[in-house]
Structure formats: C-alpha cells, structure tokens
C-alpha cells in the first residue's frame, strides 16, 4: 500500500496530490494507493491513517508513504511505529510549536470547508512527535531551501542520518515535484 498524506489545510486535490495519483495510476496501477482527505483534527486524522495502515498490515501488504508538510510529520510517526518506507516532502518537524498561530477558524479551499483549530489540537499533534529517527534507512526527505512556511534547516537537523535531497530555492509546495516521482518510487519500491 502507498499512503499519500497531505498537509495542513490541504487535500488530495492539491497539485502534489494530483501529480502523485496520476503517476501511480499510470506506472503502478496494481498498487493499493490510498489518498484520504484528512479530518480537521489531528487525533481523528491519525485514527484514520492508523486504521488504513493496520488494515494493510492485516492483508499482508508492504507499507509505503508519501507525506507533505504536516503529512510528512504524520508519515514519520507511522513509518517508525508500523514500519515501511516514507518519502517526506518539506516535512513539518515540530508543527505543535506553530499551532498557536492557527487557533480559531480556518478555511480549506480544496474542500470548501470552514473548521476550528482548538488549543487542544496542539497537544494532539505533539503526541505524534518522533523526536529521534530510529530507522533512518526508511526515509527519503525532499527539501527546498526556499520553503516560505517551514525552516528546512530543522528537517536537515532531524533527518540528518536519512537520505536527503536538498535543493536551493523552490518553495513549500516543492517546485518541480513531478520531476521527482521516478526517484520517489524507486526509493519506495526497490
């Protein structure tokens, strides 16, 4: 199973989500590709993701993940807890430190939905922190130094023992993501 995990205020309908879905459909049509729309709370999101992973494990499937931003944070937790390989794209490292800036009403334009970020969501996100990467061979981390949302140097520090691809410039969306799909899949499936 390949589980694509989108970031905060995003969706499978984001550019990366659509590129990933199209590439997998064209090159790996037999793959169990899952790309859920995450609920608006961290706890419910992890319950959904863990349920998908546990179901795949019960079916004897190999686990792989692509996680973007907050989805990269979640993918780190899942890969460390359940196994499998993960590609993290401009991953959030300590998103709970940023949650105070987002408390209150939020709007997700991809699904045309308003929702509330509450103070307790900060602790919910913190519960999934993987402070130390114990299995660095499971991770490929794609970073762009021009990320305007997250400081890529935090990810360099956390994932220093993992395979890293660091590009200068770019932005949080990871400019040129589609050009990385072959190497992403080579890492995940080899």
């Amino acid at each position: 199973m390949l589980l694509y995990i989108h970031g905060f205020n995003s969706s499978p309908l984001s550019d990366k989500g659509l590129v990933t879905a199209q590439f997998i459909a064209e090159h790996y049509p037999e793959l169990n590709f899952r790309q859920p729309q995450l609920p608006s709370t961290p706890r419910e999101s992890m319950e959904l993701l863990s349920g998908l992973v546990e179901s795949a494990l019960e079916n004897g499937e190999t686990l792989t993940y692509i996680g973007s931003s907050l989805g990269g944070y979640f993918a780190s937790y899942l890969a460390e807890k359940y196994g499998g390989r993960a590609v993290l794209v401009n991953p959030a490292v300590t998103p709970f430190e940023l949650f105070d800036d987002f408390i209150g009403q939020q709007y997700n334009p991809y699904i045309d939905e308003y929702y509330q970020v509450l103070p307790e969501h900060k602790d919910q996100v913190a519960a999934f922190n993987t402070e130390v990467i114990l299995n660095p061979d499971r991770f490929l981390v794609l970073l762009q130094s021009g990320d305007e949302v997250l400081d890529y140097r935090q990810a360099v520090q956390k994932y220093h023992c993992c395979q890293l691809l660091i590009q200068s410039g770019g932005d949080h969306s990871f400019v040129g993501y589609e050009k990385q799909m072959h190497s992403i899949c080579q890492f995940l499936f080899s």
Side-chain angles (χ1 to χ4, degrees):
M1 177 183 74
L2 172 57
L3 180 57
Y4 177 89
I5 310 170
H6 67 75
F8 176 76
N9 230 10
S10 191
S11 156
L13 301 175
S14 69
D15 288 343
K16 281 192 297 294
L18 294 173
V19 164
T20 303
Q22 181 179 353
F23 187 89
I24 296 302
E26 288 176 14
H27 298 277
Y28 300 91
E30 72 290 346
L31 185 65
N32 178 11
F33 177 61
R34 304 303 299 266
Q35 193 178 30
Q37 175 64 51
L38 297 181
S40 59
T41 70
R43 181 177 295 130
E44 290 174 344
S45 293
M46 189 54 72
E47 287 172 359
L48 172 65
L49 295 169
S50 295
L52 291 170
V53 169
E54 289 168 8
S55 176
L57 284 173
E58 289 172 9
N59 293 328
E61 296 180 60
T62 302
L63 301 174
T64 55
Y65 317 86
I66 298 174
S68 174
S69 191
L70 183 60
Y73 176 82
F74 288 153
S76 291
Y77 175 82
L78 293 167
E80 288 286 275
K81 180 175 181 178
Y82 295 103
R85 288 181 163 221
V87 174
L88 314 179
V89 183
N90 284 333
V93 174
T94 52
F96 43 88
E97 293 177 355
L98 306 172
F99 254 65
D100 290 340
D101 296 338
F102 296 98
I103 290 177
Q105 183 171 281
Q106 296 292 322
Y107 174 70
N108 186 327
Y110 293 102
I111 58 172
D112 191 29
E113 178 180 278
Y114 288 93
Y115 63 97
Q116 293 290 322
V117 174
L118 303 173
E120 58 262 30
H121 294 160
K122 180 177 181 176
D123 292 333
Q124 289 178 18
V125 169
F128 307 117
N129 188 23
T130 52
E131 290 184 40
V132 176
I133 298 301
L134 301 175
N135 300 284
D137 57 313
R138 294 182 183 169
F139 296 94
L140 167 61
V141 184
L142 308 181
L143 300 168
Q144 289 187 330
S145 66
D147 187 335
E148 73 283 7
V149 176
L150 301 170
D151 184 346
Y152 82 100
R153 294 171 295 189
Q154 288 184 330
V156 171
Q157 183 177 4
K158 178 173 182 173
Y159 297 102
H160 69 278
C161 54
C162 303
Q163 188 174 332
L164 295 171
L165 171 68
I166 305 170
Q167 295 180 344
S168 62
D171 61 27
H172 189 61
S173 72
F174 201 94
V175 174
Y177 172 77
E178 67 282 354
K179 296 174 187 167
Q180 301 299 323
M181 287 306 304
H182 283 289
S183 57
I184 286 171
C185 289
Q186 184 176 17
F187 174 80
L188 291 175
F189 306 133
S190 61

